[in-house]
Structure formats: structure tokens, C-alpha cells
Amino acid sequence: MDDPDQMVVEHAREKLLEYGDDIIPKLEHLEEDCFIDPNQLINISVVLDALRFQRIKNALKCWLKSDDKSLMQAVYTICSYQFPDLSIEDFTAKFQDLRHQCWMEMSSRQTSFEKVEALNKVFFDVFDFVRVNEVPHSPFDIFVNSVMESKEGTDISLGLIYSLVAQSLDIPIYGVTTMNNRAPFVLAYMDKDNLLPILDWGIDNNGVLFYIGVGTKGLIIDPQQLKEAYFSEGLPQNREQFEPSPNTLIVKKYLKDIKRSYSNQAQFRYKLKDIEELLELF
């Protein structure tokens, strides 16, 4: 990799790429030891980037073929694209304190509304998560692991954290999204206790008890309010706007938002091709 002949270097790159993921730790160790040779460092970095991306792409391919399509696993995989040193253990550990604090506020006697109040108290008052209003958004407002550190995020990054914590506590809160960039990312609390006939919202809401706006500090929105808000904004009134989205759609939307954040900042635009390649998997 430090040969002056570029053809030799290209041949070495191709051979190293054939080894796949297994060689990444060795290349990382070699990368640390080659600062005295800038050309070798560049060549090693190029191979490492290619191998890491291939690992991300393969992981998403496997995820798309899996039965459960764990949202936590997919979000971790995407975050590890920007943060290659992030382990799944470190990623999930970031959720543990938040989950524990929410669990401490929970009781089996609470109504669905009271459970959301408890989640909101921990999420927005204790941990002080806030929505970033400035646009264009930075990629670090979207990657969940960096949002867990800064406590500042977009609707989708905050919504992912909120829903993942809720689901880990067996609370039926799921993301609702479409590919329409104007439609907000909201959360749906599903009716598991057959309360809809009692509440009678006056609308066919596909089994959703109510919605939660993470961008408005967990404001509870009834189905009629959401439909009226979409109508006033000229948004489509199709079914997918009002019911929980499959994890594949949520992950695709997440990648689209990351792509948009990269395109808005010159230092990240070289990553756009990779994100487009990942989006093609969907």
C-alpha cells in the first residue's frame, strides 16, 4: 500500500477488498501505525471506508430479509455508518438510563394518557430533549446516538428514541411517516384496551387511540385534530398518513432525512453516493 507504482496499489486494494469484513481490525491497527507515510495512510483509509460501507450495506440487506426487522438494529446500523467505532453495546447502553427513569414513573394502574404524561416528564423535563428548529438540519441532529448526547434532534430522531423506549416498556407507541417531506413524523398510541368505542373520536382512525407530537413536547393529538391539520396544510388524506408505518418505511425515511442533511453541508456531500446506494435497497 506504500508502493510508488499506482497499479501496484490498485491491485493491493482489490485483494484487500476481497477479504471482506474480517480484515477491518487489522487494517485499523495498520492505519494507526502509518502516520509517517501519508500516501500509505490515504490508501489504507480508502480501503477501510470501502469495507466499512460494504459491512453497512450487507447488514441492511440482512435486516430487510429478517422476520422481525428490529428497528433498534436498523437504526444502530445506520448510525454506525457515520460513527464506525460505535458498538451495538455502546449504542443500546445510551437507552438504558432513559428507559429506567421511564420505568420508575410507570404503574400498571395508569391510563394510556397517564403513561404518555410519565414518558413526557422524563423525556422532556428530566432529560430535557428539545426539537431543533433551525434548518437546514445538521446530520448530528438526526443520528440517534449523537442526539442522545446533545439532547437536541429532529422530529424523526426524537420520535425514534421516544418510540424505542416506549416499545421496550411494552407501551404500544409507533412511528407514523410517509415519503412526503411536508408531512410531520408523529407517533401513534395504539388502542390495546378497546377504548376507542368509549372515546368516540368521530373518525375512522385505524386502531389508533391518539397521536403524540414529539416536536411539541409530547402533545397528545386526537385523530380528528390531526386530520384537520393535514387538510389545512393541503397534505394527502390517504390511510398511510394515519396509521403506524412498517419499520422498512421508517428506516427509508430516516435515510432520506440523513441524505438531505448531508446535501446541505459541503463537507458531507461526498457521502451522498453511499446513502443513495443504501436507499436503493428499499
Side-chain angles (χ1 to χ4, degrees), residues 17-237:
L17 289 171
E18 290 175 8
Y19 282 100
D21 293 0
D22 293 342
I23 203 172
I24 288 178
K26 294 179 181 179
L27 287 177
E28 288 174 336
H29 181 71
L30 182 59
E31 186 182 41
E32 293 171 359
D33 292 340
C34 64
F35 285 107
I36 57 171
D37 188 334
N39 289 330
Q40 187 183 41
L41 179 61
I42 291 169
N43 292 330
I44 292 292
S45 297
V46 168
V47 175
L48 263 175
D49 288 345
L51 287 172
R52 285 167 176 159
F53 176 69
Q54 197 59 45
R55 180 170 61 184
I56 300 294
K57 189 174 180 180
N58 289 338
L60 275 182
K61 283 181 180 178
C62 291
W63 182 82
L64 285 165
K65 293 177 182 177
S66 67
D67 294 329
D68 65 334
K69 291 184 175 59
S70 162
L71 187 58
M72 179 76 82
Q73 182 64 47
V75 172
Y76 161 71
T77 299
I78 292 168
C79 288
S80 65
Y81 170 75
Q82 179 65 44
F83 302 90
D85 295 330
L86 180 67
S87 69
I88 185 66
E89 293 80 14
D90 289 341
F91 182 74
T92 54
K94 293 178 182 294
F95 287 83
Q96 293 309 310
D97 189 27
L98 180 56
R99 181 188 184 280
H100 178 71
Q101 292 286 337
C102 290
W103 177 78
M104 293 287 287
E105 296 288 332
M106 294 295 161
S107 164
S108 59
R109 296 184 298 276
Q110 289 172 326
T111 66
S112 303
F113 295 91
E114 289 170 336
K115 287 177 181 177
V116 171
E117 287 178 4
L119 289 170
N120 288 345
K121 176 183 175 183
V122 175
F123 204 78
F124 299 108
D125 295 338
V126 177
F127 280 78
D128 200 26
F129 281 98
V130 294
R131 181 181 184 272
V132 175
N133 292 317
E134 294 83 5
V135 289
H137 294 124
S138 158
F140 303 107
D141 297 329
I142 300 176
F143 284 106
V144 161
N145 59 308
S146 60
V147 174
M148 291 289 281
E149 296 288 344
S150 68
K151 306 297 188 294
E152 298 179 351
T154 64
D155 283 345
I156 194 166
S157 58
L158 294 177
L160 283 170
I161 297 167
Y162 193 109
S163 60
L164 285 169
V165 170
Q167 290 168 33
S168 74
L169 294 166
D170 202 28
I171 301 173
I173 294 176
Y174 305 95
V176 180
T177 191
T178 69
M179 288 297 105
N180 188 325
N181 292 332
R182 292 174 54 232
F185 184 90
V186 297
L187 301 175
Y189 196 117
M190 300 306 292
D191 182 22
K192 298 296 186 183
D193 300 316
N194 200 30
L195 295 174
L196 281 172
I198 301 171
L199 290 171
D200 189 20
W201 293 122
I203 184 174
D204 178 15
N205 47 350
N206 312 321
V208 177
L209 191 61
F210 53 79
Y211 299 92
I212 304 164
V214 286
T216 50
K217 294 197 170 184
L219 179 69
I220 290 176
I221 309 163
D222 74 50
Q224 187 65 49
Q225 288 175 324
L226 188 64
K227 187 168 185 177
E228 289 171 358
Y230 284 175
F231 180 77
S232 67
E233 293 293 327
L235 289 166
Q237 300 292 304

